[in-house]
Amino acid sequence: MKYLLLIHTPAPELAGELAPGEPTPDQFMAYEKAVTDAGVRLDSNALDLTNATTLHVRANGDRVITDGPYAETREIVGGYYLIDVPDLDAALDWAARCPGARHGTIEVRTIWGPGQA
Amino acid sequence: MSDQRAAGSVEAVFREDRGRLLALLAARLGDLDLAEEVTSDAIETALHRWPVDGVPDKPLAWLLTTARRKAIDRIRRDRLHTQRLAELHLDSQRPTPTTTPDGFDDIPDERLQLFFTCCHPALPPDAQTALTLRFLAGLTTPEVARAFLVPTPTMAQRIVRAKRKIRSARIPFRVPATDELPARLPGVLRVIYLVYTEGHTASYGHDLQRPDLADEAIRLARILHRLLPRQREVTGLLALLLLTDARRNARTDPAGNQILLEEQNRTHWDPDLITEGQHLVIPALTGPGVGPYAVQAAIAALHDEATGIDTTDWPQIVALYDVLHQIEPSPLVALNRAVAIAMRDGPQAGLTLLDDLTDQLPGYHLLPAARADLLRRLGRTTEAAAAYRTALDLAGNTTERATIQRRLTELTDP
C-alpha cells in the first residue's frame, strides 16, 4: 500500500533562520537513510518554502493566482515522502520517525485508485 | 429436529458468537462491510439448512466455513479484489477448527483486534463509539442512531465513512504490541466508558437512565476483561461500571423520578454486583502506577460499602480524589473532589473550590447544581435559587431538570 507522508511545517519567518525545535538537515538525512535502507521509500523531496504560488479557477473560468498558500495558512507543505508499507500503522510508525513530525505535523494519505469512493 | 429447535440453535449461536464470527471474518477480509454481509448470509443459510439437515456438531465452524465460501463468491464477482481472493483461498486451506471436549469450537477469538480497529485513533471519536456499538455490541444502525440521538441516515453515513476509511487507508485489524498498549488502550476504554455514562445519565430525553446502553457497556467491558485479564485499567473500568451500576434500581422511583444518593434506599442496591466489583477493585489497585478507572472504582466501592451518607468514609474518598486529580487533572475531577471536600469539611470549603472552576466548565449543569446545594446548606437562599435556575437552563435531561426544579421549589416555597 502506498502512503504519501506530507510534511506540514510552520510557515517560515522572513529572516530564514532556524526556528527553535526545527529539525536540522542532519536529522533529515538520517531519516532519509533509514527509510531508504528499510526498502519502503519510493520517492521523497523537500519543497522550496519561499516561492509557493496558488492557483484557483473560478466557476466562470477566471484564474485567481496568489502568492504562497492561502493567507490564513500558518502551516505549509515543506516536503513529502512516498512510501510503500503494509498498513496504516506501519505508515504512522514511519511518519512518527520523521523529524518533521516534532516540529510540524505529518499528514498521512493514500493514493486514490479506481473503485474507491 | 423441529424447525423451532433449529431456529433456536441458530439464534443461540448468533447471540453468543456473532461478534466472534464477525471479528474473525473482518480480520481475515480486512473489510467490515464484507464481513457483515457474509456473516448475515451464513446465518440465513443456516436458518434454511439446519431445520432440514440438522444442527451441525460444530455450529460456529460450520458458519465460519459457509461465510468464508460466501466471501470467496462475492469477491470473485468483483475483479478488483484478486489479491484478497488469493489470500482467502490460502486461508481456506488451513485446517478446519477442531471441537474441544466441552463442545466449544476452538476458533480463535479475534474480538480484541476488532476493538482496536473500531477505536483506531485515525477514526473520528464519534465514529469509534458508533463502530464499537455496531460491530462489537451488535446494535443495528438505527439502534446506534437512537443511542446518540442522531437521525438514522446521519449515523449510517458516519458508519459508512468510517468503514470506508478502514478499508481504503488500510487500518489494520491487529492488537497493538505491549509497548503500544498504553497509548492505544485508553481510547478503547474511553469508548466503553462513554457508552456507560450515557446509559447512566442520558444527556437528553425523558428518562434519567438508559439501561440498554448501560448493559451494553458492561457487556463490552466484560468481553474486554476476558480478553485482557492482566490489564489493570480494564479490570478497573469493569469494577467501576459494576459498582456504579449496582445502584441502578435505587436511582429512580417507580414513576421514573430521580432519587439522589443521600435519599436512596440502599437495600435496593445490588449486592452481587457490589461483591463482584469489590473483588475486581483489589487487583486493579494493587501495584505501582494506578490508573484513573481503578481509583474511581475504589471511590464507588466506598460509597457502596457505606450504610448511609453520614457513615460514608469521606476522608478516604477525598484522599482518592486527590490521587485521581493528580493522574487526571480535569475540571470534572476537581468538581467531584470539591463536593467530597464539602462532605468532609463543610459546605464553605467546597464552595470556595467550586468558585474557582466556573470558567473551566461552561455549560455543564452539575457545576451550578453543586454550588446551589452548598449555598442552600449555608443558608444563602437567594444565591442558591439563582444557581438552581442556572442549572435548570443547562440540564438537557427531563428527569434531572425535574430534580433541580424540586430543589428550587423547596427553597423558594418551603
Side-chain angles (χ1 to χ4, degrees):
Chain A
M1 189 79 165
K2 295 188 182 82
Y3 292 88
L4 182 66
L5 311 185
L6 279 173
I7 306 162
H8 294 262
T9 54
E13 303 294 327
L14 285 175
E17 293 168 6
L18 272 187
E22 195 170 328
T24 62
D26 284 354
Q27 287 174 312
F28 262 106
M29 278 163 68
Y31 178 70
E32 179 93 16
K33 183 170 167 13
V35 76
T36 308
D37 289 352
V40 300
R41 190 188 77 95
L42 299 173
D43 189 19
S44 63
N45 272 302
L47 301 180
D48 200 323
L49 297 181
T50 57
N51 65 3
T53 305
T54 302
L55 166 81
H56 171 68
V57 179
R58 290 209 175 110
N60 65 7
D62 286 353
R63 287 180 175 201
V64 183
I65 298 170
T66 49
D67 171 35
Y70 291 104
E72 323 81 69
T73 316
R74 289 165 61 202
E75 288 205 321
I76 63 168
V77 178
Y80 69 88
Y81 278 86
L82 184 65
I83 59 171
D84 191 355
V85 290
D87 60 40
L88 182 67
D89 279 359
L92 291 174
D93 285 344
W94 279 109
R97 288 177 63 177
C98 178
R102 283 185 176 72
H103 186 54
T105 55
I106 313 281
E107 186 179 341
V108 179
R109 304 287 295 268
T110 56
I111 309 295
W112 186 84
Q116 277 172 245
Chain B
M1 161 121 9
S2 73
D3 279 17
Q4 207 174 4
R5 193 170 148 217
S9 299
V10 181
E11 202 188 300
V13 171
F14 190 75
R15 201 172 42 241
E16 297 288 314
D17 287 322
R18 180 186 178 276
R20 280 179 59 190
L21 195 61
L22 196 63
L24 198 81
L25 288 160
R28 299 273 165 88
L29 302 167
D31 185 334
L32 278 172
D33 269 329
L34 186 59
E36 208 180 11
E37 283 167 16
V38 297
T39 299
S40 302
D41 279 1
I43 284 168
E44 202 184 318
T45 308
L47 279 166
H48 284 107
R49 293 271 301 277
W50 294 3
V52 182
D53 303 345
V55 177
D57 293 342
K58 299 173 276 182
L60 185 61
W62 188 96
L63 283 169
L64 182 61
T65 307
T66 308
R68 220 189 248 154
R69 280 197 204 114
K70 304 251 178 210
I72 292 175
D73 287 348
R74 277 176 185 259
I75 292 171
R76 202 175 268 152
R77 266 180 260 146
D78 185 351
R79 272 175 297 131
L80 291 166
H81 293 107
T82 42
Q83 168 79 30
R84 206 178 282 158
L85 187 62
E87 286 166 12
L88 203 66
H89 267 307
L90 209 68
D91 181 53
S92 66
Q93 310 285 311
R94 289 183 204 177
T96 312
T98 55
T99 303
T100 44
D102 58 3
F104 285 103
D105 289 311
D106 184 22
I107 288 179
D109 192 332
E110 313 223 321
R111 282 176 298 183
L112 193 56
Q113 296 186 5
L114 197 52
F115 265 111
F116 284 101
T117 308
C118 289
C119 297
H120 197 284
L123 297 168
D126 53 2
Q128 294 178 23
T129 321
L131 287 178
T132 305
L133 284 174
R134 180 80 189 79
F135 291 98
L136 282 151
L139 266 58
T140 62
T141 302
E143 283 169 342
V144 179
R146 206 152 53 239
F148 290 94
L149 301 145
V150 298
T152 301
T154 307
M155 185 50 80
Q157 253 312 311
R158 202 178 281 173
I159 291 174
V160 164
R161 234 180 272 130
K163 284 193 294 196
R164 193 186 291 153
K165 180 159 186 184
I166 290 174
R167 193 172 53 235
S168 67
R170 211 174 280 182
I171 290 179
F173 288 79
R174 66 187 269 272
V175 179
T178 319
D179 61 327
E180 298 172 286
L181 262 187
R184 292 282 305 278
L185 188 58
V188 175
L189 297 174
R190 187 176 53 240
V191 163
I192 299 176
Y193 184 67
L194 275 177
V195 173
Y196 183 79
T197 47
E198 192 57 30
H200 180 265
T201 306
S203 9
Y204 295 95
H206 198 71
D207 296 331
L208 178 71
Q209 311 189 80
R210 300 272 311 274
D212 53 338
L213 284 182
D215 287 341
E216 281 311 333
I218 290 175
R219 211 170 69 80
L220 290 170
R222 282 190 194 281
I223 295 172
L224 197 63
H225 177 58
R226 214 176 301 136
L227 299 170
L228 288 172
R230 277 192 294 278
Q231 286 294 324
R232 283 161 58 204
E233 271 295 86
V234 178
T235 313
L237 177 66
L238 178 58
L240 171 62
L241 301 195
L242 295 173
L243 290 164
T244 309
D245 211 56
R247 296 176 224 138
R248 183 197 289 186
N249 293 334
R251 291 181 64 228
T252 48
D253 68 16
N257 298 308
Q258 183 179 15
I259 306 174
L260 296 167
L261 183 66
E262 60 260 40
E263 300 159 345
Q264 284 171 21
N265 181 344
R266 294 178 183 229
T267 60
H268 292 170
W269 290 0
D270 188 323
D272 294 339
L273 289 184
I274 293 174
T275 309
E276 192 187 349
Q278 283 168 330
H279 281 115
L280 291 166
V281 171
I282 298 157
L285 279 176
T286 310
V290 74
Y293 292 115
V295 178
Q296 290 182 78
I299 294 170
L302 286 173
H303 282 297
D304 286 358
E305 283 161 18
T307 52
I309 205 87
D310 299 330
T311 52
T312 303
D313 189 348
W314 293 108
Q316 181 77 5
I317 289 179
V318 171
L320 286 167
Y321 271 120
D322 288 343
V323 174
L324 185 60
H325 196 249
Q326 262 175 12
I327 316 174
E328 205 179 86
S330 79
L332 209 60
V333 173
L335 165 62
N336 287 311
R337 179 173 168 270
V339 171
I341 286 176
M343 295 306 291
R344 185 189 65 180
D345 301 338
Q348 185 55 56
L351 194 62
T352 311
L353 291 168
L354 285 185
D355 285 341
D356 294 339
L357 290 172
T358 319
D359 299 337
Q360 293 175 55
L361 283 169
Y364 186 58
H365 66 286
L366 289 183
L367 177 60
R371 279 194 75 239
D373 283 339
L374 297 183
L375 288 164
R376 174 175 55 83
R377 282 164 58 193
L378 287 167
R380 289 157 65 174
T381 314
T382 318
E383 289 164 89
Y388 278 130
R389 285 191 195 97
T390 308
L392 209 50
D393 286 342
L394 296 171
N397 179 295
T398 315
T399 308
E400 276 189 296
R401 291 172 55 85
T403 308
I404 300 167
Q405 182 63 56
R406 178 160 55 87
R407 284 268 158 119
L408 180 60
T409 311
E410 283 166 6
L411 198 67
T412 51
D413 189 16

